[in-house]
Amino acid sequence: EIATGGKQDELKKIALKKGEGVVGWIAENEEPLIINDCASDPRFTSRVDLKTDFKTNSIVGVPVRLDNKLLGVLEAVNKKDGTFDDNDREMLEYVSRFVAIPLQNALLFRNIIRQHREKDRLLELAKMISYSSNQDEIFVKLKEIICDIITPLEINVLVRSFDKSNVFQLMTRTERELDDEMDQVKVHDTVVGEHTAVFPLKSR
């Protein structure tokens, strides 16, 4: 969310999974951490350094909590003079208490804005479905709304009939044929995986 230093713009474009890298380890374990030799620590990932053309030597990080709920991680990188110690960790923990309240407010505000936007977009789709009989027109609006809300890499709609199944590719990043694969999908239940989500389209 917030980055300072010469690589701040590049850093803000990078997302790490929970458990990935030092910041991911802190988020997963909800414990502070000091590393003064990142190159030799298995918890460190060089992925961020490679993307930003930066060298991380040392890190101190602390979890940011409010009412025992993890909100994020506050991290300092590459101490200019000497190495990070417990005094630095304590200072960062002290600062994290001030960070927690505005961060919580920002997250709540973001959720309210997102929910409002999603409702508006779904209302748009409902209005279009009610007056349009053009399947392509509806699919264009569906793709636009999905991309606005969750930014996927691929969108497919499987339509089953009595004698065949049609796959409509609204957006794809590959050239592979999906008909055979999608034909095997069980579309009676919602299935959400790490990289794919499947939702049934039901009438009545």
Side-chain angles (χ1 to χ4, degrees):
E1 290 295 324
I2 299 296
T4 62
K7 299 293 182 177
Q8 60 187 33
D9 292 335
E10 291 92 335
L11 279 170
K12 291 177 74 172
K13 299 173 185 175
I14 299 173
L16 296 177
K17 296 178 183 179
K18 199 172 184 179
E20 182 184 3
V22 175
V23 69
W25 185 95
I26 295 170
E28 187 171 58
N29 293 274
E30 297 192 28
E31 294 179 10
L33 185 64
I34 298 173
I35 299 178
N36 281 306
D37 183 12
C38 290
S40 64
D41 196 296
R43 291 167 293 193
F44 174 74
T45 176
S46 60
R47 185 163 74 87
V48 176
D49 281 6
L50 291 172
K51 285 193 172 185
T52 58
D53 191 26
F54 182 80
K55 182 166 177 57
T56 302
N57 299 310
S58 57
I59 293 177
V60 56
V62 299
V64 179
R65 298 189 190 91
L66 187 65
D67 298 328
N68 291 321
K69 177 186 176 184
L70 179 72
L71 298 179
V73 174
L74 181 62
E75 188 178 71
V77 178
N78 289 358
K79 190 170 183 177
K80 291 182 178 180
D81 184 19
T83 56
F84 288 119
D85 55 29
D86 285 335
N87 289 329
D88 299 315
R89 174 188 53 77
E90 288 176 5
M91 176 59 72
L92 217 56
E93 287 177 326
Y94 184 70
V95 173
S96 74
R97 296 170 198 159
F98 291 96
V99 171
I101 295 174
L103 181 57
Q104 172 76 339
N105 291 341
L107 291 171
L108 290 172
F109 182 72
R110 177 186 292 174
N111 287 337
I112 290 170
I113 294 297
R114 176 174 177 172
Q115 288 169 11
H116 181 71
R117 190 183 82 220
E118 288 175 0
K119 288 177 182 176
D120 283 348
R121 300 312 306 268
L122 292 174
L123 184 59
E124 284 179 43
L125 182 63
K127 286 179 179 178
M128 171 165 282
I129 290 172
S130 67
Y131 70 73
S132 176
S133 60
N134 186 316
Q135 174 180 277
D136 292 336
E137 193 176 66
I138 292 172
F139 280 168
V140 167
K141 178 59 69 174
L142 180 63
K143 172 186 172 182
E144 178 187 318
I145 290 172
I146 292 173
C147 289
D148 182 44
I149 295 173
I150 61 173
T151 59
L153 293 174
E154 190 169 297
I155 305 170
N156 303 298
V157 177
L158 170 68
V159 180
R160 288 192 186 277
S161 62
F162 291 108
D163 56 344
K164 63 178 181 177
S165 298
N166 294 317
V167 176
F168 298 91
Q169 294 180 293
L170 308 192
M171 186 173 73
T172 179
R173 59 173 176 153
T174 65
E175 296 298 325
R176 62 187 174 86
E177 289 295 326
L178 292 171
D179 297 79
D180 292 338
E181 178 181 325
M182 292 295 288
D183 195 44
Q184 303 302 316
V185 172
K186 305 295 184 185
V187 292
H188 301 293
D189 300 307
T190 297
V191 179
V192 179
E194 185 178 358
H195 302 291
T196 306
V198 178
F199 306 94
L201 301 175
K202 296 180 180 180
S203 177
R204 299 181 184 176

